[in-house]
Amino acid sequence: MEALLDWFTVPFQFEFMRRALLVAVVAGGVCAVLSCWLTLIGWSLLGDAVSHAVLPGVVLSYLFGLPFAAGALVFGAGSVALIGVVNRTSRVKEDAVIGIVFTAMFGAGVVLISKIPSETDLMHILFGNVLGVSDAEIAQILVMALVTLVVVAVKHRDLTLFAFDRVHAHAIGLSPRRLEALLLGLLSVTVVIALQAVGVILVVAMVIIPGATAYLLTDRFERMLAISVAVSVAASVLGTYASFHFNVATGGAIVVTQAAAFGLAYLFAPRHGVLGRRLRTRAVVARGGAPRAGAPS
């Protein structure tokens, strides 16, 4: 018992771990909230695109001594706008446009990174540096997180209706295009927040996995939000602790923990898990009932 207590308390003796836990929890919580809408709308690929497209902005910010958030926001919003323009003005399908834009942006970022002499900086940009965040970066993260959560709270019902039924949203006077732009803007801000924790390459996991995990565990959206946040925050804390005790990359540890949570939900979720459905079907058969059509045996 004492060893378990030490496992959780020893990291708090270090200032860098307290900072890392704060950033990981805030980033995980905000990403989890937005992740639910991305999962329902089917914007996983778009989340991947934005997370990779911010790389040139981050590199340019580094080169000119600006906060990472400045360049990342500009290029994140710019990539979303570019995807929309190309999609509306050409016959190329949206998924192809997304792939073209995010790979082009990411490639440009890699080219720019090649001009930076320090390989350590490259690792920090691509894989995050949550153990070395400064006071200024923490302040930026907290402000952006607060703004994102306030906007989500105010527009919660409109965004949810947009996710479930765009036609109905338009019929009652809402603008699906504006709501889409708002959600994409929030996605860009959220990517910047998570960037500090896990870096460009892994940030897509933080904006996709929590919502996908919660989607397997409930059919109610409000409960999905709560589960998504709980899973993401818990994974962020456990991943950060694991990185300290096992001396592994913090961003990777957080993502692996989230993936493990998804794996458990995929297998054991009562209604939508692979094994959960089979166990429920066998229980029905054992009670003398008949399994639903299409249910696994």
Side-chain angles (χ1 to χ4, degrees):
M1 185 66 182
E2 184 177 351
L4 180 62
L5 184 63
D6 289 342
W7 199 87
F8 283 100
T9 57
V10 168
F12 271 95
Q13 298 176 10
F14 302 94
E15 176 68 17
F16 72 91
M17 280 300 297
R18 293 195 291 270
R19 290 169 176 266
L21 284 167
L22 173 62
V23 172
V25 167
V26 172
V30 176
C31 287
V33 171
L34 201 63
S35 176
C36 294
W37 280 288
L38 297 182
T39 300
L40 289 176
I41 298 174
W43 279 1
S44 300
L45 182 58
L46 192 57
D48 191 16
V50 173
S51 65
H52 284 75
V54 302
L55 181 58
V58 173
V59 178
L60 290 174
S61 296
Y62 174 83
L63 291 176
F64 291 104
L66 300 174
F68 283 178
L73 280 174
V74 170
F75 275 78
S79 65
V80 169
L82 182 59
I83 289 170
V85 169
V86 176
N87 184 46
R88 288 193 299 271
T89 58
S90 74
R91 61 179 297 183
V92 181
K93 293 185 178 180
E94 186 178 27
D95 59 341
V97 175
I98 291 173
I100 292 169
V101 171
F102 99 71
T103 51
M105 290 286 191
F106 190 72
V110 172
V111 170
L112 290 173
I113 279 179
S114 67
K115 306 298 292 184
I116 300 177
S118 173
E119 189 174 341
T120 302
D121 294 324
L122 168 62
M123 296 297 290
H124 286 176
I125 293 172
L126 294 180
F127 299 104
N129 186 27
V130 69
L131 298 180
V133 289
S134 64
D135 290 337
E137 290 171 336
I138 291 177
Q140 292 170 17
I141 291 170
L142 292 177
V143 170
M144 288 189 292
L146 179 61
V147 170
T148 301
L149 293 177
V150 168
V151 173
V152 166
V154 172
K155 303 296 291 183
H156 169 267
R157 290 189 176 182
D158 293 348
L159 291 173
T160 303
L161 181 58
F162 168 74
F164 281 100
D165 193 341
R166 298 189 188 192
V167 175
H168 182 58
H170 180 71
I172 64 173
L174 298 176
S175 171
R177 180 165 293 184
R178 290 181 180 177
L179 291 174
E180 180 179 291
L182 174 62
L183 196 55
L184 290 173
L186 292 175
L187 174 61
S188 298
V189 175
T190 303
V191 165
V192 174
I193 294 172
L195 185 68
Q196 305 291 338
V198 299
V200 169
I201 292 178
L202 301 177
V203 70
V204 65
M206 293 193 73
V207 295
I208 297 300
I209 294 179
T213 303
Y215 188 63
L216 292 175
L217 295 171
T218 182
D219 295 325
R220 300 183 60 181
F221 185 72
E222 300 299 329
R223 191 176 296 170
M224 180 181 175
L225 280 172
I227 294 174
S228 178
V229 172
V231 168
S232 185
V233 169
S236 296
V237 171
L238 290 176
T240 304
Y241 271 103
S243 74
F244 176 84
H245 289 290
F246 302 115
N247 193 29
V248 297
T250 307
I254 291 174
V255 171
V256 167
T257 306
Q258 289 188 345
F262 174 81
L264 291 174
Y266 171 75
L267 291 174
F268 300 109
R271 288 178 58 85
H272 304 295
V274 174
L275 298 181
R277 291 198 305 267
R278 291 181 178 179
L279 291 174
R280 190 173 68 253
T281 300
R282 289 177 181 177
V284 171
V285 173
R287 291 195 300 267
R292 292 183 297 106
S297 59

